[in-house]
Amino acid sequence: MAGPGPGPGSGLGPGDGGRRSAPRRPAAREPAARTYARALPVVPVRARGLTIEGADGRRYLDCVSGAGTLALGHNHPVVLDAIRAVLDSGAPLHVMDLTTPVEDAFVTELLRTLPPGLADRARVRFCGPAGTDPVDAAVALVRAATGRTRVVTVTDADADADADADADADETVLGDSGGDGGPGRERPAGLLLEPVRSEAGVRPVPDGLVRRLRARAADRAVPLIVDETGTGVGRTGAYWAFEHSGVTPDVLVLAKAIGGSLPLAVVVHREDLGEPERTAGAFRGNQLALAAGAATLAHVREHRLAAHAATLGGRMLTGLRALAAEFTCVGDVRGRGLMAGVELVAPDTAPHVTAHGARPGTAVRPGAAAELATAVRRECLRRGLIVDVTGPRANVVRLLPPLIVTEEQMSAVLDRLADAVRAVDRGRPGGPVPLRGRRGPR
C-alpha cells in the first residue's frame, strides 16, 4: 500500500489549478461549522478502497469511512456497477415510496440478513436520509402503538453499572417491577439502545445488560428499539451488532452503511406494531441509494465480511491496547470489530477530576486531553492516516476502517497511529511520563 507522498505522475491533469485552489474557497463562501474540513485540510480528488488521494497528490489511509458509511470503502466495484445499472436503465431516480424493482431487490436482501424472528414478521419503512429521521420515525411508531410518550435510552452510566455484578442496571433504566414504571412515572413507550455508543466515545453496551433489558422490556410490553445506524452491516464483527447478545429487537433503526455510500435510512419493525400516520420525509425513494445498498448488503453477506471485521478488529484492538501499555497519555481503549476508540488523557499533578479511561489515582485535565486527541489526529494526517475525534470531551480518537481492510493495510494503520502518538507524547510539556509498571492489555 502506497504511503503518503506524490501519487502517480507529476500532476492531476486538466483542471489542476481549480483543484489546488479549492482549499481557499470555503473560508470565503462557507460557514465555520464545517467541522471535518477545519480539522482535516484535505481536498480529495480520487479514492478507492481505503485510500484517498488529495489534490496535492498525497495519499491517505481513510479510517473515518464517512463516519462508518463506507462499509466497502471508497468506490467499490460492486457499488459502482449497481449505480451504473440504474443510470443506464432509464429508471426514475426518485419516486418517493412507490414500489420499484430496485426497492424490491433491496428489501429482499435486507430481510435475508435479519434473524427469522424479525424477518418473518417485519415491515420495512423508508425514511428521510438525515441521521435523526429513522430515530424520529421509530419513536413515533412505538408511541402510536403503545399510547404512551416516554422513551428511555441506555446511557454510559447504565452500561458502567453493569461492570458491578451486584448492580441491576436494567432496573435503573426501566424503573421498578411495577406496571406503571414507578411512582409518578408512566411505563415507557419504548426502550432505545445503541449497541455501541459511537459518539459517546465508542462505548459498547455489555451483552449481559442487553439481554436483561430485552427480557425486562418484553415482560413489561415495552418495545425494544435498537439503533444500528453506526454499527450495522458487519461493522462490529456480526452482521448486526444486536446479534452479539442473541436478542431480537422489536424495532430496528438503520442508516449509513445500508446505503452503500449514498444517503438511505430504514426502520424495520414487527408488523403488529402498526404504522404511524405521518410520513417520514420526501427523500425516501432514492433508487441509486437502494441499488448501492442492496449491492453492499449482498457483498458483505456473500464474502463473510462480518467475520473478517471480527478478525481484523481483534488485531486492531490488540495493537491499540499496546499503545495504552506504552504511553501514559493513552487511557482506555474500547471497541468491537472494526470500530475502536482510543481515549487520550493528560496526567497532571493538580487535583482535577478523573476522566473516563484514566488509570486509577491519575488526575487529568479534560481540556488538555482534548488537545492531545487533536494533536494525535494532526500527526496522523501528516503520516498519511485520517482518523476522527469524538466523545463528550472530544478526547477519543476513533477508527472506523472499511470492512475490506487488509492485513497489510491494518499494519500500516497501526504503525502510523503509534508513530503519531509517540510524536505527541514527546512534544508534551515535560516530555514523556514514564510508566511505573507496564500494563497488560485491557
Side-chain angles (χ1 to χ4, degrees):
M1 172 55 59
S10 58
L12 293 168
D16 288 339
R19 287 174 175 173
R20 293 184 186 280
S21 62
R24 292 193 292 271
R25 294 181 186 141
R29 300 182 182 177
E30 300 184 31
R34 298 168 64 252
T35 53
Y36 278 99
R38 288 161 61 87
L40 300 168
V42 176
V43 181
V45 295
R46 278 180 288 274
R48 187 68 170 236
L50 187 68
T51 304
I52 287 178
E53 183 180 339
D56 58 359
R58 286 174 55 86
R59 291 183 177 182
Y60 304 86
L61 298 179
D62 179 14
C63 282
V64 172
S65 298
T69 299
L70 303 172
L72 301 182
H74 294 275
N75 292 327
H76 194 284
V78 300
V79 172
L80 297 182
D81 287 347
I83 293 172
R84 289 191 187 103
V86 174
L87 292 173
D88 293 343
S89 72
L93 298 184
H94 180 63
V95 291
M96 301 288 283
D97 53 7
L98 296 178
T99 301
T100 67
V102 175
E103 180 192 300
D104 184 63
F106 175 88
V107 171
T108 298
E109 183 57 44
L110 174 61
L111 294 179
R112 186 176 293 156
T113 69
L114 296 174
L118 180 58
D120 293 347
R121 49 179 183 156
R123 297 284 186 182
V124 179
R125 183 180 186 207
F126 294 94
C127 310
T132 58
D133 288 344
V135 175
D136 290 346
V139 168
L141 172 72
V142 297
R143 284 174 173 166
T146 63
R148 303 186 291 268
T149 59
R150 186 168 65 98
V151 174
V152 296
T153 61
V154 178
T155 66
D156 293 341
D158 303 318
D160 289 345
D162 191 67
D164 183 348
D166 296 325
D168 290 322
D170 51 325
E171 295 198 15
T172 302
V173 176
L174 287 175
D176 65 22
S177 58
D180 61 357
R185 301 173 67 193
E186 67 170 354
R187 186 160 35 128
L191 171 63
L192 176 61
L193 180 149
E194 262 188 290
V196 181
R197 291 170 53 80
S198 183
E199 297 302 323
V202 192
R203 296 182 175 279
V205 177
D207 292 338
L209 175 58
V210 175
R211 286 189 286 269
R212 292 201 305 276
L213 286 170
R214 165 75 277 187
R216 189 165 173 78
D219 288 344
R220 302 186 63 197
V222 174
L224 174 63
I225 306 169
V226 175
D227 183 357
E228 292 259 11
T229 296
T231 55
V233 196
R235 167 65 56 189
T236 67
Y239 205 103
W240 305 109
F242 66 78
E243 295 177 307
H244 290 292
S245 59
V247 307
T248 300
D250 302 302
V251 184
L252 187 59
V253 173
L254 305 175
K256 289 190 175 179
I258 65 160
S261 76
L262 298 179
L264 186 66
V266 174
V267 174
V268 182
H269 62 88
R270 288 189 352 239
E271 60 183 355
D272 60 304
L273 289 177
E275 285 278 6
E277 292 182 0
R278 67 189 182 103
T279 59
F283 295 100
R284 59 188 188 274
N286 187 309
Q287 301 297 290
L288 296 182
L290 290 167
T296 297
L297 294 174
H299 191 82
V300 171
R301 175 181 56 81
E302 293 167 358
H303 292 266
R304 299 179 53 83
L305 292 185
H308 179 72
T311 300
L312 268 291
R315 181 184 168 192
M316 178 171 68
L317 286 171
T318 297
L320 296 177
R321 286 169 179 150
L323 296 180
E326 182 177 354
F327 300 104
T328 56
C329 64
V330 177
D332 198 11
V333 172
R334 301 180 292 269
R336 195 156 208 175
L338 289 173
M339 189 176 197
V342 180
E343 190 154 6
L344 276 296
V345 295
D348 194 352
T349 57
H352 296 299
V353 297
T354 299
H356 276 297
R359 65 201 61 189
T362 300
V364 300
R365 296 172 290 139
E371 293 170 4
L372 285 176
T374 299
V376 169
R377 176 174 59 189
R378 183 172 58 248
E379 292 297 328
C380 283
L381 193 65
R382 288 175 178 168
R383 289 157 176 78
L385 175 64
I386 298 177
V387 297
D388 200 2
V389 170
T390 187
R393 295 182 177 89
N395 67 323
V396 177
V397 173
R398 179 171 61 184
L399 293 93
L400 300 169
L403 275 58
I404 48 84
V405 62
T406 66
E407 291 271 0
E408 180 185 4
Q409 289 171 332
M410 182 58 71
S411 294
V413 167
L414 294 172
D415 288 345
R416 295 179 194 186
L417 179 60
D419 195 42
V421 172
R422 190 170 295 110
V424 170
D425 192 56
R426 281 197 307 264
R428 287 191 299 146
V433 179
L435 292 174
R436 290 196 177 94
R438 191 172 182 85
R439 293 178 294 160
R442 288 185 287 176

